Amino acid sequence: MSGESGIWFDPGLCLIGGAWVAPKGGEGLDLVNPSDGNRLARIARGGAADIDAAVAAAQAARDGDWGRMTALERGRVLTRIGQLVLERADDLARLEALDVGKPLSQARADAVALARYCELYGGAADKVMGETIPYLDGYTVYTLREPHGVTGHIVPWNYPMQIIGRSVGAALAMGNACVLKPAEEACLTALAFAHIAVEAGLPAGALNVVPGLGAEAGAALSGHPEVEHPSFTGSVATGALVQQAAGRNVVPVTLELGGKSPQLVFEDADLDAALPFLVNAGCQNAGQTCSASSRILVQRGVYDVVRERMAAAYAELTVGPALEDLRVGPLISARQKEIVEGYLARGSDLAVAGQGMIVDHAPEAGAYVRPALFADVPPDHPLAREEIFGPVQVLIPFETEEEAVAIANGTDYGLVASIWSRDGARQMRLARQLHAGQVFINNYGAGGGVELPFGGVGRSGHGREKGFEALYGFSQLKTVAAYHG
Ligand code: NAD
């Protein structure tokens, strides 16, 4: 480990074909620690030439040792990677906390989730089967699940470890060779993961990592004619660019683009159970979570009590440096802070029901904002419709179930929703009516289970990652029809 940063590898390199190499352009980018604004490391500024080399290395792996491995062997390598990740969970958590600004225990949970993805997909690699199809007399028909070939993984800065686990893990399990482009704001754990994967025996070229800017390395990867399946998590605007690029190459794409996810609190809800979820789901990772719950819809009869109790919980929210492991850390960057402050200014016509506190000793140059809860927010207000990606929640009152569903479904997004009610019939009705890829009943997030298929509808994107479903997304079906008479 080197110095206080805990970086045990050279962060300025790309992994291409099993070798750690400098980017061809020779340039670098600064990573900034969002807790104090200081430079944390210098990473590679990979470009189109590096992406070309990474894709060529991936093709060679697909056609070579990696492509020839049995599903069982692939699974064993992934499982070994998972074991090493678990052993290094504390080191990885520290890197993530410094890089992303994520409170240490939340960063550690992400490291454990990364290990869990490797375990899940390691175990699943040899359990994805085709089927035989009863057909005409004289035929035997069966299906084969085959890898796409080279997959591209464009990852954002908010949950690098979890997103790498769910997309790269599933892609490797199915025998794809991956090119990973981590976010320019935070990519230390992506590099650390790659070092661990090499150490665990992943064949050269099965995973290649090229850090760099979105408009350079990211665009080169999503538009590369030899990339057979790009997977993207991030903003709607960039997701649309990735889809256009994939469209030009006529390849499928997975897009996970965030949301404006509601929790619906009915008068018959168990409020004691709901309260911690209502607040946590909005301030975890400083609200920079695609499935953050930024809208709390509350039935009129319990609105005042929920408002008061959430306000009290907000007063307890402390914000400070990631390594101090308070409830909330800094935002990822000064730029993100500016975006969130812009939204807070747009809420100046609204009532602030509750606010958290930044600790006095938080460094001036850190990207800190005070968490804010707005009350009585009209459903058409920008703060109730747009993804803010900061610790900001809005309370919206409603009278009837129909009104609640209309408000919940009234944004462009549809990632996650939750229903707090003891009425079983209502739970079943609403689970069908809510526009979302995941619906939770009397919980929010279900502990983030790696087993649970995840993805959105509407502007939240399409395609599913996590669980077994991701294995189908990262493979394609071939039908074999044999005529034998
Ligand atoms: P972004 O979508 O631009 O970046 C995400 C990833 O895409 C990064 O790796 C980036 O380098 C890459 N990228 C950027 N431009 C690209 C391009 N033209 N082609 C291919 N890849 C490209 O998001 P951002 O700028 O980091 O954040 C902006 C906003 O996006 C945030 O305020 C937030 O609202 C949203 N966001 C959502 C998620 C999510 O998990 N859904 C994650 C990050 C950001």
Side-chain angles (χ1 to χ4, degrees):
M1 291 229 188
S2 78
E4 290 200 341
S5 69
I7 304 171
W8 70 86
F9 48 85
D10 182 344
L13 302 177
C14 309
L15 176 65
I16 297 179
W20 287 96
V21 295
K24 291 188 195 304
E27 287 187 62
L29 298 166
D30 282 341
L31 278 185
V32 172
N33 176 346
S35 290
D36 58 18
N38 291 329
R39 191 173 99 160
L40 181 60
R42 196 149 170 86
I43 58 163
R45 179 176 174 174
D50 304 293
I51 292 291
D52 282 346
V55 171
Q59 285 179 306
R62 178 201 62 193
D63 299 335
D65 287 352
W66 176 242
R68 280 192 290 273
M69 264 193 172
T70 62
L72 171 65
E73 289 168 328
R74 289 199 305 270
R76 282 188 177 142
V77 175
L78 265 170
T79 304
R80 264 201 306 279
I81 297 173
Q83 283 163 352
L84 290 182
V85 166
L86 211 49
E87 283 168 24
R88 310 262 174 87
D90 288 335
D91 297 342
L92 289 164
R94 187 182 163 82
L95 286 186
E96 197 81 310
L98 290 170
D99 205 2
V100 177
K102 189 171 293 210
L104 201 53
S105 52
Q106 294 178 34
R108 195 173 193 289
D110 285 2
V112 173
L114 171 58
R116 186 69 197 98
Y117 279 114
C118 295
E119 289 168 343
L120 172 73
Y121 291 128
D126 62 349
K127 294 168 190 70
V128 179
M129 301 180 197
E131 53 188 8
T132 54
I133 301 172
Y135 194 54
L136 301 177
D137 189 33
Y139 281 88
T140 297
V141 181
Y142 60 95
T143 58
L144 296 171
R145 281 249 156 227
E146 297 184 336
H148 291 286
V150 177
T151 52
H153 304 262
I154 300 174
V155 167
W157 40 262
N158 56 340
Y159 284 82
M161 285 194 277
Q162 293 224 28
I163 296 169
I164 289 168
R166 77 186 190 207
S167 79
V168 171
L172 289 175
M174 294 311 292
N176 298 282
C178 305
V179 179
L180 165 64
K181 208 298 282 174
E184 51 270 48
E185 295 87 350
C187 70
L188 291 180
T189 52
L191 296 167
F193 175 74
H195 277 276
I196 289 173
V198 169
E199 193 181 324
L202 187 68
L207 171 64
N208 305 275
V209 186
V210 181
L213 296 174
E216 297 175 0
L221 180 58
S222 57
H224 200 291
E226 304 300 332
V227 172
E228 284 133 316
H229 180 76
S231 157
F232 171 82
T233 304
S235 64
V236 175
T238 306
L241 292 176
V242 170
Q243 177 151 350
Q244 282 168 17
R248 282 193 288 278
N249 294 325
V250 199
V251 291
V253 59
T254 305
L255 298 180
E256 202 274 272
L257 308 179
K260 194 70 190 171
S261 299
Q263 300 196 60
L264 282 59
V265 185
F266 288 89
E267 284 164 3
D268 65 344
D270 178 346
L271 293 186
D272 289 337
L275 247 297
F277 288 92
L278 298 182
V279 178
N280 279 346
C283 69
Q284 183 179 324
N285 198 29
Q288 305 164 114
T289 304
C290 45
S291 55
S293 177
S294 45
R295 295 187 294 155
I296 309 296
L297 281 47
V298 188
Q299 201 164 19
R300 195 52 91 172
V302 289
Y303 182 79
D304 287 341
V305 64
V306 169
R307 175 187 165 147
E308 270 166 36
R309 292 183 67 178
M310 283 189 72
Y314 262 71
E316 303 280 302
L317 288 178
T318 46
V319 185
L323 291 182
E324 292 184 21
D325 205 19
L326 306 174
R327 285 286 297 286
V328 181
L331 297 172
I332 182 70
S333 62
R335 173 176 162 247
Q336 192 65 21
K337 181 179 170 184
E338 219 174 278
I339 293 173
V340 174
E341 285 177 345
Y343 276 107
L344 294 174
R346 286 165 82 182
S348 58
D349 56 333
L350 299 171
V352 177
Q355 271 191 297
M357 287 300 300
I358 301 171
V359 294
D360 289 341
H361 59 275
E364 267 302 294
Y368 301 102
V369 293
R370 285 181 74 184
L373 174 69
F374 291 93
D376 308 323
V377 180
D380 58 353
H381 194 284
L383 267 67
R385 297 188 57 82
E386 296 174 23
E387 184 178 51
I388 298 173
F389 240 55
V392 181
Q393 288 179 298
V394 297
L395 275 165
I396 304 173
F398 69 84
E399 304 283 349
T400 65
E401 185 181 301
E402 293 71 26
E403 189 190 354
V405 172
I407 296 171
N409 290 344
T411 73
D412 295 337
Y413 293 102
L415 191 58
V416 166
S418 98
I419 304 156
W420 293 94
S421 168
R422 290 186 168 98
D423 179 338
R426 169 184 285 149
Q427 295 166 0
M428 296 302 114
R429 241 183 345 260
L430 266 55
R432 288 175 185 267
Q433 291 174 7
L434 289 169
H435 295 169
Q438 285 188 329
V439 174
F440 300 105
I441 297 171
N442 292 329
N443 77 94
Y444 192 89
V450 305
E451 303 86 348
L452 312 181
F454 178 72
V457 300
R459 295 287 186 278
S460 290
H462 51 78
R464 296 290 177 267
E465 290 186 343
K466 305 178 66 170
F468 251 68
E469 200 61 32
L471 300 170
Y472 304 133
F474 282 110
S475 60
Q476 51 196 338
L477 200 67
K478 178 183 281 177
T479 304
V480 181
Y483 181 69
H484 38 69

